[in-house]
Amino acid sequence: MGSSSSSYAPKTIYLDVDGKVQKVVFSRHCSPCDIKELLCSSSNIPRNTAIMMVDPEGALVSIDPTMPTNSPNSLYKVVPLSTGQLGEKEDMFQNVLSQVAEQFSRAFRINELKTEVTNRLAMLEKRVELEGLKVVEIEKCKNDLKKLRDEMTSRGGGRVNCPCKYNFSDDGKKVTPRRDVPNYPKYTLSQETVEALKKPTFDVWHWEHNEMLSCLEYMYHDLGLVKEFNMNPITLKRWLLAIQENYRNNPFHNFRHCFCVSQMMYGMIHLCNLQEKLTLTDMGILMTAAVCHDLDHPGYNNTYQINARTELAVRYNDISPLENHHCAVAFQILSLPECNIFANVDPEAFKQIRQAIITLILATDMARHGEILDSFKQKVDNFDFTNEEHVTCLKMVLIKCCDISNEVRPTEVAEPWVDCLLEEYFMQSDREKSEGLPVAPFMDRDKVTKPTAQIGFIKFVLIPMFETVMKLFPQIEEIMVQPLRDSRDHYEELKQIDDAMTEGSSFVIKFRKDFKKHD
C-alpha cells in the first residue's frame, strides 16, 4: 500500500521566475507536453514556446515526469529557446530524417539489388555464350563419331544403318542456337527493302543468313505479333537463331527455302489484306508454321523414308514421317525457355496455337494435296470468315501455296530453285538405285529434264490451286497467277526446243546409218 500511494503522490519543483521562487506541482503521470505548458504558464512565457530548463550550474534538466526534484535553495530556471537554437534543432531533425531514409534504403537494398541483377544478367549472358561454344565442340565430336560409324557400316556392307537415314540418336542434337544474341549482327532495313518484302517478286538470293534473320524479325514486329503475344524481343532473336541452325545444308530444303516460304506468306498476308479478315493469332500461326515447316529436313522425301523403312518412318507409322518430324523439332525448340516466343501466352491459348501450327505443317505433305484442295473448293464459293472450319482450311491452302510458290517469282529468281530441287532429287534417286529401292521417274537423272519436271507440276498442281484461291482473293491474279501461266508457257517453249533438238539428233543418226548402208 505504501509503494502504491507514493507512486501517485504529486511531484514538486521550484523555479526562479524573475528572481522570485515559484513552486510548481504536477502529477507523476503528466505527459512531457503538459509539464512544458505548466512551466511556460509558471514562467510567464507564451504557450507552445520551445523551452529548456537548467539547474543553478547551467546543466540541462529533462522536462518529463522523471525529472529530479529540487529545493528552494537550488532553483531551476526555464529559458525560451532562441531562433538559432531552433535552427540547430531543425538541422538535427533533418539529419535524423536523412539517417532514417538511408536506413530504409539499406533495408530495401534497392541500389544493391539493381547492381546485383545487372551483374547476374551479365554472368548469365557470358555463360550462355560459353555454353554455345561447348555445343559447337560437342557437335564436332558427334559429327566425327557419325562419320566413323558410317565408315564402319559401309565396310560392313549392311544397308540397315544407312548413314543417310534419320537415327534416333539424333534426338540428342542440341536445338539451342550455337551463338547467342550478343553475336547477332544488327541490320537496319531500308524502306526499299521493307516494301520489297511485301511482294512475291522479292529476290531471295541476294541475302545472307543474318540478313534473312533480320527480315524475319522485322516481319514479326511489323505484323504486330510481338505485341500480340507479348514476346520478349531477345527471345524472338534466339528462337530465329535456333530455327536457322536446325535447317540442314540441303540443296533445296534449307534455311533459304524456309525464308522463301515465310516471305511469301508475309507477302500474301499483305496482298490479300488478311489482317482485316483474320485474327492476329491466325497471323502468328501462319507465320510460325511457315518458318518451321521443313525443320531438320534430311533431304530425302517421305517416299524414300517409307520404302527404306527409316527410323522416322517407323516412328510415325509411315504417316507423313517428315512433316511429323518437322513439328516435333519445332516444339522441341519452343520447349526451351530461352527460345519460347509463346512463353507469355495463356496455357489454354497456347494449346490451341500448337494444334493449329501442327495442322498447317502436316498439310504441307503433298500426298494430301488433292484431299485439301477438294475441301477448299467445296467452301470457296460460299466462304465464311466467321466459320472456324473454313478459316482452318484456308490457312492450310495458304501454307501449301507458299511452300511451292517458287514459280510465282520472276524467272531469274525461280529457275535456280529448279536446279536445287533436281540436285536433291538426283541425290535421292542415286541412293535409291544403289539400295535397290523404287525410283520415281520425275527424280531420275536419266529420265527427267528441267522442262518436263516443271510443266506438269505447274499445269496440274500450281495453277489449279492458285486459281481456286483467286476466287476468294481476285487481286492475286495479276501478281501470282499470271506469272504461273507465263512460267508454264516458258517451259513448254523450252520443251519444244529440246524435242526439236532430240528429233534433229535422231534424224542425223538415222541419216548416217542409212548412208553407211548405201555406201
Side-chain angles (χ1 to χ4, degrees), residues 146 162-166 248 250-253 294 296-306 308 310 312 321-323 325-326 423-432 434-435 437 443:
K146 191 173 184 298
C162 177
C164 68
K165 297 175 190 174
Y166 181 87
R248 302 193 193 185
N250 299 315
F252 183 90
H253 291 101
D294 268 335
D296 198 43
H297 195 298
Y300 299 87
N301 69 11
N302 280 333
T303 302
Y304 176 84
Q305 304 296 325
I306 294 166
T310 65
L312 267 184
L322 288 182
E323 289 71 26
H325 179 58
H326 305 325
E423 183 183 346
E424 200 166 291
Y425 279 174
F426 295 158
M427 284 171 57
Q428 175 172 323
S429 61
D430 290 347
R431 184 167 291 282
E432 286 169 332
S434 72
E435 294 179 358
L437 297 173
M443 300 179 80

Side-chain angles (χ1 to χ4, degrees), residues 18-242:
D18 299 328
K20 297 179 182 178
V21 177
Q22 176 67 49
K23 181 179 179 182
V24 179
V25 179
F26 58 90
S27 167
R28 294 175 185 271
H29 300 286
C30 283
S31 69
C33 289
D34 293 336
I35 297 172
K36 282 183 180 179
E37 281 195 19
L38 185 60
L39 294 177
C40 285
S41 299
S42 304
S43 304
N44 300 320
I45 298 172
R47 290 177 62 189
N48 298 325
T49 301
I51 59 171
M52 65 179 181
M53 190 164 65
V54 295
D55 65 11
E57 295 176 356
L60 285 171
V61 179
S62 63
I63 303 174
D64 61 64
T66 63
M67 73 174 78
T69 57
N70 62 344
S71 67
N73 298 322
S74 178
L75 300 175
Y76 291 159
K77 189 173 183 64
V78 176
V79 182
L81 289 174
S82 65
T83 307
Q85 288 172 313
L86 284 171
E88 288 175 5
K89 282 208 168 185
E90 285 175 0
D91 290 341
M92 189 184 301
F93 184 70
Q94 287 295 331
N95 288 335
V96 170
L97 280 179
S98 299
Q99 290 174 9
V100 170
E102 187 179 347
Q103 286 173 358
F104 267 106
S105 177
R106 286 178 183 173
F108 289 106
R109 296 178 61 215
I110 294 171
N111 294 331
E112 289 85 345
L113 280 172
K114 282 182 181 177
T115 306
E116 187 178 344
V117 168
T118 304
N119 291 340
R120 285 193 179 184
L121 280 173
M123 287 172 62
L124 283 171
E125 287 183 350
K126 189 68 178 175
R127 275 183 62 188
V128 169
E129 190 174 342
L130 291 173
E131 289 297 323
L133 294 173
K134 287 180 186 176
V135 170
V136 173
E137 295 302 318
I138 292 169
E139 286 298 316
K140 284 182 182 176
C141 292
K142 281 188 179 180
N143 289 335
D144 291 343
L145 285 170
K146 191 173 184 298
K147 286 179 184 175
L148 184 60
R149 191 187 300 120
D150 293 345
E151 286 177 13
M152 292 172 66
T153 303
S154 61
R155 288 174 187 171
R159 188 170 69 80
V160 176
N161 294 316
C162 177
C164 68
K165 297 175 190 174
Y166 181 87
N167 194 298
F168 279 125
S169 63
D170 289 348
D171 280 352
K173 181 179 179 183
K174 189 82 170 176
V175 294
T176 319
R178 288 188 290 273
R179 56 196 174 117
D180 198 18
V181 174
N183 294 327
Y184 188 147
K186 294 180 180 178
Y187 294 94
T188 302
L189 303 183
S190 67
Q191 191 57 38
E192 182 184 0
T193 300
V194 166
E195 291 305 315
L197 269 176
K198 299 174 183 176
K199 299 173 184 175
T201 52
F202 187 82
D203 191 344
V204 296
W205 294 106
H206 287 172
W207 305 88
E208 299 296 330
H209 280 186
N210 286 331
E211 294 171 318
M212 290 188 279
L213 285 169
S214 292
C215 288
L216 288 171
E217 186 183 348
Y218 170 81
M219 293 175 201
Y220 270 74
H221 281 280
D222 179 58
L223 291 172
L225 304 181
V226 175
K227 187 176 180 181
E228 173 69 13
F229 297 108
N230 193 17
M231 293 180 191
N232 182 332
I234 301 298
T235 304
L236 175 62
K237 288 176 182 284
R238 286 200 186 99
W239 176 70
L240 287 170
L241 277 172

Side-chain angles (χ1 to χ4, degrees), residues 110 146 172-173 182 231 234 256 266 332 354 359 367-368 386 413 423 433-434 473 479 481 513 517:
I110 294 171
K146 191 173 184 298
K173 181 179 179 183
M231 293 180 191
I234 301 298
R256 193 175 298 277
Y266 177 71
Q332 191 180 356
R354 168 176 155 79
T359 298
R368 298 181 58 202
T386 63
V413 180
E423 183 183 346
K433 289 174 184 177
S434 72
F473 304 109
I479 299 173
V481 179
K513 285 181 180 178
K517 284 180 184 178

Side-chain angles (χ1 to χ4, degrees), residues 220 222-229 265 269-270 272-288 342 349 352-353 356 360 383-388 390-392 394-395 398 473:
Y220 270 74
D222 179 58
L223 291 172
L225 304 181
V226 175
K227 187 176 180 181
E228 173 69 13
F229 297 108
M265 181 66 78
I269 287 171
H270 282 283
C272 302
N273 296 319
L274 293 180
Q275 299 104 315
E276 298 176 7
K277 297 174 175 66
L278 302 180
T279 66
L280 274 172
T281 298
D282 287 325
M283 302 293 106
I285 290 164
L286 283 167
M287 286 301 301
T288 306
F342 297 115
Q352 294 175 2
I353 291 169
L360 297 200
F383 196 86
D384 181 3
F385 280 98
T386 63
N387 184 313
E388 188 177 344
H390 284 212
V391 171
T392 298
L394 170 62
K395 289 189 290 187
L398 286 173
F473 304 109

